[in-house]
Structure formats: structure tokens, C-alpha cells
Amino acid sequence: MRVTQGTFSFLPDLTDAQIRAQIEYCLGQGWAVSVEYTDDPHPRNVYWDMYGNPMFDLRDAAGVMAEVDACRRAFPDHYVKVNAFDSSHGWEALRLSFIVNRPKKEASFKLERQEAAGRTVRYTTRSATATRP
């Protein structure tokens, strides 16, 4: 199973040249870029660990790529993503987020269905890898 979170998640993995092009676009828009990583890519896990500090004043994609490469080396079996935050008035939100590194073995999830009173059906997403011995 391939984890599909963020922009470009349904495409094949981006090359370093494509990642650099996206980072250059983000910096050209004046967005702050940060790098995050996790070993738990559950769709509801929105709190990934930040690698380093957000790069608010950086205007060169080489600096961000250096952070991405350092994070990949430090956490080779984790998911790594790049975030671009727009701090301009009226937006003040994440504008772009995409995965730049995946572990060799992707996480897997299963969907559990539970029938309740009446016609109510509840669904829960659980990590299949967490239930293995």
C-alpha cells in the first residue's frame, strides 16, 4: 500500500531535481519552508516531528535541499515531507506539502466497520503493522 498524503502523492516519487523545482516555486512565492518526518503516517496523525527550524528567511533552494538530505540520512526508514507556509495576511496557512522520502516498506492500514443502533455504521482506520506481533 502506498501512503497518499499531500500534494503529488498519487504520482511516482519525485526526483531531487523535481523536489528542488517545487522548493524554488515555494520560495519564489515568499513561503516559509520546513521539513518534517514521522514513522506513523496515519491519516489523522497531523503532528509530524519537525527537522530543524522553519526556514522563514531562506531564499535559496540549496539550503532546503541540504535540510532534506540531512533528514533523509538521519531517518532513512521514515516518511519525510516538505511544507510551505504562507504567512501573508489573509492566508496564514499551509499552502503546499509533499512527501520527499518513504521507507523501504510502506505502512499499511485496515478499515474496520462496526454496525451500531439503527442504520449507523462506524468506520475506524487502524495501523495493520501495529497489530502484528
Side-chain angles (χ1 to χ4, degrees), residues 114-127:
Q114 178 186 19
E115 298 198 23
R119 294 183 178 186
T120 305
V121 179
R122 295 188 179 105
Y123 292 98
T124 305
T125 305
R126 298 208 189 276
S127 172

Side-chain angles (χ1 to χ4, degrees), residues 19-28 33 61 64-65 68 82 98:
I19 293 169
R20 178 183 291 273
Q22 293 304 320
I23 291 170
E24 287 173 354
Y25 173 78
C26 295
L27 295 175
V33 179
V64 179
M65 286 302 294
V68 167
V82 172
F98 57 97

Side-chain angles (χ1 to χ4, degrees), residues 40-107:
D40 177 21
H42 189 282
R44 291 189 179 159
N45 177 18
V46 295
Y47 299 107
W48 290 32
D49 294 309
M50 185 172 288
Y51 187 82
N53 293 322
M55 296 164 255
F56 290 106
D57 296 328
L58 192 65
R59 295 292 163 241
D60 185 12
V64 179
M65 286 302 294
E67 285 289 303
V68 167
D69 290 338
C71 187
R72 285 174 173 167
R73 283 192 306 276
F75 303 100
D77 291 327
H78 285 62
Y79 292 87
V80 178
K81 71 179 174 180
V82 172
N83 296 319
F85 182 81
D86 184 357
S87 62
S88 60
H89 183 70
W91 280 100
E92 299 165 347
L94 192 66
R95 295 290 293 260
L96 184 66
S97 177
F98 57 97
I99 294 176
V100 296
N101 190 68
R102 296 171 180 275
K104 291 178 180 80
K105 183 169 171 47
E106 291 267 354

